[in-house]
Amino acid sequence: MNLLLLATFIILHHVFIGYSSPANPSTSDDHQLHIRKLQEFKSSFWQTKPVSSSRLYGVSLYGADPTGKTDSTDAILRAISDAVSEERVGLLMDGITNHGGVQISLEGGIYKISRPMKFPVAGVGNIVISGGTLKASQNFSTNGYLIDLTTFSSSSSNKNYNYEYITLKDIMLDCNYRGGGIRVLNSLRTSIDNCYITHFTTNGILVQGGHETYIRNSFLGQHITAGGDSHERDFSGIAINLAGNDNAVTDVVIFSAGIGIMVSGQANVITGVHCYNKATGFGGTGIYLKLPGLTQTRIVNSYFDYTGIVAEDPVQLHVSGCFFLGDAFIVLKSVHGVVKGVNIVDNMFSGSNRGIDIVQLDQKAGVFNNIDQVVVNNNNVRGMNLKATIAKLAMKGNGTLWSVDFNRILVFPRHIKFVQYTLMTQSDVFPNYVLRNISNNKVLIESNVAVEGTISVTVDQGLSI
Ligand SMILES: *[C@@H]1O[C@H](CO)[C@@H](O)[C@H](O)[C@H]1NC(C)=O
Ligand SMILES: *[C@@H]1O[C@H](CO)[C@@H](O)[C@H](O)[C@H]1NC(C)=O
Ligand SMILES: *[C@@H]1O[C@H](CO)[C@@H](O)[C@H](O)[C@H]1NC(C)=O
């Protein structure tokens, strides 16, 4: 027997002896007394306060009705209020109390509520609300939100932020066509995770001010449908409205809404989103990037399913790795005629051979006249018209004039900034040939003598030098 095995044997032997020792009568009496005292303490505790020291506030102990038959507004508000009334030390941001991760559990119930769920005061943080369904009752205010991270009785000494590190997870919100799902106002580091938000009339989620609201693994739709709904034409509302900076929407499905995601702040990132909220043909938009302010938005690895992207005067916009299905396309919409720093690269577009351009300009409010560093390139198409800001064409000719028309492919009319051309000929002559004209996206090259050959031309609308 080696030493280690021997040591293990001795330890196990002792543990076994120790465990069986209540055979000793005096130890047994002490033990019984201890258990009785513990039980008395426990029952007195439960009678005075319906919560344990576990920092888990189950709403049923406050009388919330998990069957959804009677109104649970006051019960849940009391649970929330108790959860944040405990004395806590330690700060998050200056003026925001760290509640240690206290949990308000919806315990898998469906609760009818007639007023928004709010914290009684601002200036609280590190709190989790999770695990159930909230449903707006018939008298819920139509401009309200089921969970509203706004409060107007501020105890916070922090003037800039109301809340920090609030987590809303595993919650279904049924707005019952009476307003919105979640509103986050002037908050920091808010997490919305695995939520299902439906029947909203205004916004599924509205983020105003603050920064870093992270919305992930969630499902939003005004109507519960799996696509091809006969009432799709009537879908309205905005699933996610980001009127703030530095937010992220990651792995989210938007299955019905007039607009999938509205962005009017900066430095937001949208990843892995599937929009099939309302087809472009019915007037819907997947992602709408709205003025005022710089765009500064990245949209990557997302899926636009019969609904596209609209960007007003985009300044710094990146769209890549996305799949556009069902003739979905991107619109650059002029408001003051500005489009700068736009990359639409490495995407796939698929349509039904109806001649739809993958990138389109909306110049109803005035033409784009301030264009700089726009790159639409390296996209591939099936059944749609490829558009780009960089293009190459080769054509055969015989004579002294060579005109190559790029209008079919270039995004902007009359806006070639760079041309490279070369003439290949088997003729015996060595012609001089020069670039004569690039207006209207037509490149005109002239040779001094007639030649038979092929002219190759590269143009670029994106360079700013
Ligand atoms: C809403 O209706 C419920 C009953 O469903 C009632 O208890 C509650 O007081 C009403 N609230 C308002 C704000 O009218
Ligand atoms: C090119 O043009 C010349 C003169 O007009 C003509 O003689 C010749 O046949 C043409 N070549 C071709 C391939 O059309
Ligand atoms: C270039 O061509 C356009 C017609 O396409 C013409 O109006 C313009 O005068 C030409 N410019 C020059 C410099 O020849």
Side-chain angles (χ1 to χ4, degrees):
M1 188 181 284
N2 72 32
L3 269 177
L4 186 66
L5 263 177
L6 181 66
T8 311
F9 175 78
I10 291 167
I11 289 166
L12 281 176
H13 188 252
H14 278 223
V15 167
F16 184 71
I17 299 291
Y19 183 73
S20 59
S21 68
N24 174 331
S26 71
T27 316
S28 179
D29 283 352
D30 283 355
H31 190 65
Q32 295 301 323
L33 186 69
H34 181 69
I35 287 178
R36 210 167 46 243
K37 277 187 171 166
L38 203 67
Q39 280 168 346
E40 278 166 9
F41 169 75
K42 260 173 124 180
S43 59
S44 70
F45 186 80
W46 282 98
Q47 276 158 15
T48 53
K49 199 163 184 275
V51 288
S52 72
S53 54
S54 72
R55 307 304 192 212
L56 180 79
Y57 290 76
V59 294
S60 63
L61 286 173
Y62 287 84
D65 172 11
T67 67
K69 290 202 180 76
T70 59
D71 195 285
S72 296
T73 312
D74 293 329
I76 301 175
L77 285 174
R78 270 200 308 277
I80 294 173
S81 178
D82 273 6
V84 301
S85 65
E86 286 179 32
E87 199 71 35
R88 283 300 165 104
V89 290
L91 292 178
L92 290 160
M93 287 292 289
D94 193 22
I96 298 180
T97 318
N98 180 358
H99 285 271
V102 64
Q103 297 191 32
I104 297 141
S105 172
L106 300 176
E107 300 173 310
I110 299 174
Y111 305 95
K112 195 162 74 177
I113 58 173
S114 50
R115 295 194 311 281
M117 296 296 100
K118 296 184 171 197
F119 292 112
V121 288
V124 297
N126 197 1
I127 298 162
V128 180
I129 304 179
S130 67
T133 300
L134 297 177
K135 182 175 182 193
S137 71
Q138 283 309 320
N139 57 12
F140 195 91
S141 157
T142 50
N143 56 18
Y145 287 81
L146 286 177
I147 298 179
D148 198 355
L149 297 188
T150 65
T151 193
F152 305 105
S153 65
S154 176
S155 78
S156 169
S157 58
N158 192 309
K159 296 285 173 281
N160 297 320
Y161 304 112
N162 289 334
Y163 303 104
E164 181 182 1
Y165 191 28
I166 303 296
T167 300
L168 308 173
K169 69 174 185 183
D170 310 331
I171 301 175
M172 185 175 190
L173 296 171
D174 178 351
C175 308
N176 196 17
Y177 304 111
R178 306 287 308 167
I182 298 172
R183 175 160 60 170
V184 181
L185 177 71
N186 295 336
S187 297
L188 274 183
R189 302 181 261 275
T190 307
S191 207
I192 298 172
D193 195 357
N194 190 36
C195 290
Y196 186 120
I197 303 176
T198 189
H199 299 157
F200 49 84
T201 47
T202 52
N203 302 289
I205 298 172
L206 171 62
V207 180
Q208 292 171 297
H211 37 103
E212 299 137 45
T213 292
Y214 272 51
I215 302 166
R216 358 171 236 275
N217 304 320
S218 289
F219 306 94
L220 295 97
Q222 183 179 52
H223 299 268
I224 298 179
T225 169
D229 192 286
S230 56
H231 301 291
E232 185 165 337
R233 195 177 290 278
D234 304 322
F235 291 175
S236 64
I238 301 171
I240 297 176
N241 191 341
L242 301 177
N245 299 351
D246 303 7
N247 304 296
V249 180
T250 309
D251 299 334
V252 165
V253 177
I254 297 165
F255 53 87
S256 107
I259 293 172
I261 303 177
M262 170 84 89
V263 182
S264 54
Q266 286 84 46
N268 293 294
V269 60
I270 295 164
T271 313
V273 166
H274 180 187
C275 291
Y276 62 105
N277 47 293
K278 184 176 185 177
T280 305
F282 293 142
T285 306
I287 297 181
Y288 200 110
L289 304 160
K290 202 168 174 53
L291 287 176
L294 302 173
T295 315
Q296 294 181 328
T297 298
R298 290 151 292 152
I299 301 171
V300 293
N301 302 342
S302 292
Y303 176 12
F304 294 87
D305 201 345
Y306 285 77
T307 188
I309 298 174
V310 177
E312 291 184 350
D313 277 7
V315 176
Q316 295 198 302
L317 167 65
H318 179 91
V319 181
S320 76
C322 293
F323 178 42
F324 294 79
L325 182 70
D327 286 312
F329 56 90
I330 298 172
V331 178
L332 306 179
K333 181 174 176 168
S334 168
V335 177
H336 305 296
V338 184
V339 51
K340 292 180 169 183
V342 173
N343 298 322
I344 300 171
V345 294
D346 302 332
N347 301 285
M348 307 192 289
F349 292 81
S350 176
S352 52
N353 296 305
R354 292 194 292 132
I356 308 285
D357 293 344
I358 63 168
V359 175
Q360 303 180 14
L361 304 181
D362 175 347
Q363 303 192 100
K364 287 193 276 290
V367 297
F368 282 112
N369 49 23
N370 194 347
I371 305 168
D372 186 22
Q373 300 176 72
V374 178
V375 180
V376 179
N377 198 24
N378 277 343
N379 299 292
N380 68 58
V381 297
R382 215 181 131 261
M384 292 180 76
N385 273 355
L386 184 71
K387 298 297 273 189
T389 55
I390 297 169
K392 294 172 181 169
L393 279 177
M395 63 174 280
K396 288 193 165 114
N398 184 14
T400 57
L401 283 176
W402 312 71
S403 177
V404 188
D405 187 348
F406 284 93
N407 274 303
R408 197 174 53 78
I409 186 162
L410 289 178
V411 170
F412 299 104
R414 298 177 294 280
H415 193 75
I416 291 174
K417 286 186 170 179
F418 174 89
V419 184
Q420 222 176 0
Y421 59 99
T422 193
L423 178 64
M424 189 176 131
T425 176
Q426 265 94 47
S427 310
D428 296 337
V429 292
F430 280 83
N432 296 321
Y433 60 106
V434 292
L435 182 62
R436 289 288 189 207
N437 196 322
I438 57 169
S439 70
N440 300 322
N441 286 345
K442 285 182 189 154
V443 172
L444 183 70
I445 293 150
E446 188 177 1
S447 56
N448 62 334
V449 292
V451 275
E452 190 191 322
T454 302
I455 192 95
S456 304
V457 183
T458 301
V459 294
D460 193 333
Q461 300 194 300
L463 295 177
S464 61
I465 46 173

